[in-house]
């Protein structure tokens, strides 16, 4: 929301009924656009609807099963989504279209994050990998793994885009990698589940 102070906020909604009883799972608004994006489930299909004012503008099929996460690029030009189908999709917020789908993961996507420089994004998955995707060449340029099998539940990048951290779903560990080297730098233990 914005109250003419140029602030930008995104809310994640567990469940809201709107548009003839369709369930909205995520809601967001691009910083540089006056367009509202609503992502909702319809018969086990994730759909992106772009609404401008009161008029329905566009509808496009997204993931083949539930969407699990999404993230806006720092400039609001792109949205990256992940789903239970193991796919990561990159959407253009100006056109509303998904222009690339990545199929490298073999299990559900648990989190997605853009780098601050908007050159790449990362995704974590229950398949035990963190994957780094180049936005210019549309390819998986780095795959990060742990020494022992772990289902990753979340991931994050530092502000420089050089370090990646991820938390395990069933282990009390945080993993830290160098994106440039593709090397695991440290495994940190913690006392409570993330």
């Amino acid at each position: 929301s914005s109250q003419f102070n140029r602030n930008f906020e995104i809310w994640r909604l567990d469940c809201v009924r709107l548009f003839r009883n369709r369930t909205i799972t995520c809601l967001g608004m691009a910083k540089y656009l006056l367009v509202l994006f609503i992502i909702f489930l319809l018969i086990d299909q994730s759909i992106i609807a772009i609404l401008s004012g009161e008029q329905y503008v566009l509808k496009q099929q997204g993931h083949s099963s539930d969407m699990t996460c999404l993230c806006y690029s720092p400039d609001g030009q792109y949205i990256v989504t992940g789903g239970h189908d193991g796919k990561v999709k990159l959407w253009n917020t100006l056109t509303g279209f998904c222009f690339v789908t990545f199929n490298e993961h073999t299990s559900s996507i648990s989190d997605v994050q853009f780098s601050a420089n908007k050159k790449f994004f990362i995704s974590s998955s229950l398949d035990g990998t963190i994957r780094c995707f180049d936005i210019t060449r549309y390819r998986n340029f780095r795959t990060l793994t742990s020494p022992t099998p772990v289902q990753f539940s979340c991931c994050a990048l530092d502000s420089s885009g050089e370090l990646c951290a991820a938390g395990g779903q069933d282990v009390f560990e945080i993993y830290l990698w160098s994106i440039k080297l593709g090397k695991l730098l440290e495994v940190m233990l913690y006392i409570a589940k993330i």
Side-chain angles (χ1 to χ4, degrees), residues 21-69:
N21 293 325
R22 294 180 183 158
T23 303
I24 296 174
T25 55
C26 303
L27 176 68
M29 186 170 170
K31 183 175 182 179
Y32 298 104
L33 301 175
L34 297 176
V35 175
L36 177 67
F37 285 80
I38 299 176
I39 301 168
F40 56 91
L41 300 176
L42 173 62
I43 312 171
D44 294 329
Q45 298 287 317
S46 298
I47 307 291
I48 281 196
I50 302 173
L51 302 174
S52 180
E54 297 282 327
Q55 292 185 334
Y56 176 78
V57 178
L58 176 71
K59 177 176 119 176
Q60 181 177 347
Q61 181 178 331
H63 295 273
S64 61
S65 61
D66 292 349
M67 184 183 304
T68 56
C69 51

Side-chain angles (χ1 to χ4, degrees), residues 78 88 90 99-100 102 104 114-115 117-123 131-142 179:
Y78 303 117
V88 176
L90 193 58
F99 61 94
V100 65
F102 299 99
E104 286 82 356
F114 267 98
S115 64
N117 64 9
K118 201 189 79 170
K119 292 183 178 179
F120 70 96
F121 66 87
I122 62 172
S123 60
R131 295 186 181 266
C132 308
F133 296 97
D134 185 329
I135 295 176
T136 306
R137 295 185 182 100
Y138 309 126
R139 66 182 182 96
N140 177 194
F141 70 89
R142 183 87 63 228
I179 297 282

